[in-house]
Amino acid sequence: MRAVWSVVGLMTACLMTNLSFAQQGQQNREARSGSAMVGKMSKMEFDNQNKQGAAAVMAIAPAKTALSQADNALMMEVAMGGMMQLELSRAALQKATSEQVRQLAQAEVAEQTTLANKLKEIATAKGITLPTTAGVDTEQLISRMQNMSGEEFDRFYVTESGVKGHQKLDQVMSKVESSASDPSLKGLATAAHPLVKTHLKVAQDVQNNIQGGSAK
């Protein structure tokens, strides 16, 4: 009888071990398949959209024709908005505690770095000097962020950069698309705008997750 129970116990232990391995395997497959979420979007889909957006921006060919005064003002507006997003997101990569917030910040750094590089190409082709500092508003936001930590920091970054920052960029890109006459500047806005909209929607979802306590 003892031998029978020993066999049963061994079989049960083997079964539990196999289940544990299966669960671990499923978790690994989910991680590889991108089932981790950023807002309401899978990380795989989020990464794919970021790659597509970067490729669209990099494909823009700078035109050497001079910018009008109005187009020059629009270009500076895009540059300043992008620099603010870049600096806030760099700070978020250092201090964010939520993985979803870190993923958003990392994507934003990549997006704005690509956009800034293309703006420099266009500016160089046209003999224009872009601003090198993000401005007083950005410095003030960074200063406030330095005194925050944990969920307070995450919520502030997502609100100021993820939501408000992208709402402003959304408006700027729409204005460039509708009123710019320079083909390279208009093309840049058209290429970058879809990813701006994606980041805005994801940021709004992450913001809701933080408020609901599910942005891990």
Side-chain angles (χ1 to χ4, degrees):
M1 188 67 174
R2 290 180 179 177
V4 171
W5 282 112
S6 295
V7 171
V8 171
L10 181 60
M11 292 177 63
T12 302
C14 290
L15 178 61
M16 295 301 293
T17 300
N18 289 336
L19 285 173
S20 177
F21 282 138
Q23 290 170 347
Q24 291 176 5
Q26 178 65 21
Q27 291 171 354
N28 291 336
R29 286 192 294 274
E30 289 176 349
R32 289 193 298 269
S33 67
S35 61
M37 305 297 290
V38 185
K40 293 181 179 180
M41 187 177 292
S42 74
K43 185 178 181 302
M44 176 177 284
E45 177 61 21
F46 187 52
D47 288 345
N48 286 338
Q49 298 236 2
N50 288 319
K51 290 177 182 177
Q52 291 172 11
V57 168
M58 289 188 292
I60 299 300
K64 293 184 178 181
T65 53
L67 285 180
S68 67
Q69 187 174 356
D71 281 358
N72 186 74
L74 288 173
M75 188 172 183
M76 296 302 164
E77 197 171 349
V78 173
M80 292 298 292
M83 278 196 291
M84 174 179 280
Q85 293 292 89
L86 181 58
E87 293 305 316
L88 295 182
S89 298
R90 282 174 172 166
L93 280 179
Q94 299 297 318
K95 296 187 66 174
T97 55
S98 163
E99 181 59 26
Q100 290 193 35
V101 175
R102 285 184 56 80
Q103 291 291 341
L104 179 62
Q106 188 172 42
E108 190 63 16
V109 167
E111 177 196 18
Q112 295 306 328
T113 299
T114 300
L115 182 62
N117 289 338
K118 184 56 65 174
L119 277 173
K120 288 178 184 177
E121 283 187 38
I122 295 173
T124 298
K126 298 176 182 300
I128 295 172
T129 301
L130 293 175
T132 57
T133 58
V136 175
D137 291 344
T138 300
E139 291 177 359
Q140 291 176 344
L141 288 173
I142 293 292
S143 179
R144 291 176 64 184
M145 291 169 73
Q146 289 174 345
N147 297 319
M148 298 178 185
S149 61
E151 187 176 311
E152 180 188 21
F153 178 93
D154 290 352
R155 185 184 297 110
F156 184 84
Y157 166 72
V158 171
T159 299
E160 295 298 326
S161 175
V163 177
K164 292 181 181 179
H166 281 100
Q167 287 173 338
K168 183 175 180 180
L169 278 178
D170 183 25
Q171 294 171 356
V172 171
M173 293 301 181
S174 293
K175 184 163 55 173
V176 174
E177 286 181 282
S178 63
S179 62
S181 57
D182 183 78
S184 53
L185 182 59
K186 186 185 287 284
L188 180 63
T190 301
H193 203 174
L195 190 55
V196 170
K197 290 178 177 293
T198 295
H199 282 196
L200 172 58
K201 180 62 172 66
V202 170
Q204 290 169 332
D205 291 336
V206 172
Q207 184 182 54
N208 290 334
N209 289 345
I210 291 174
Q211 293 171 348
S214 59
K216 303 304 182 182

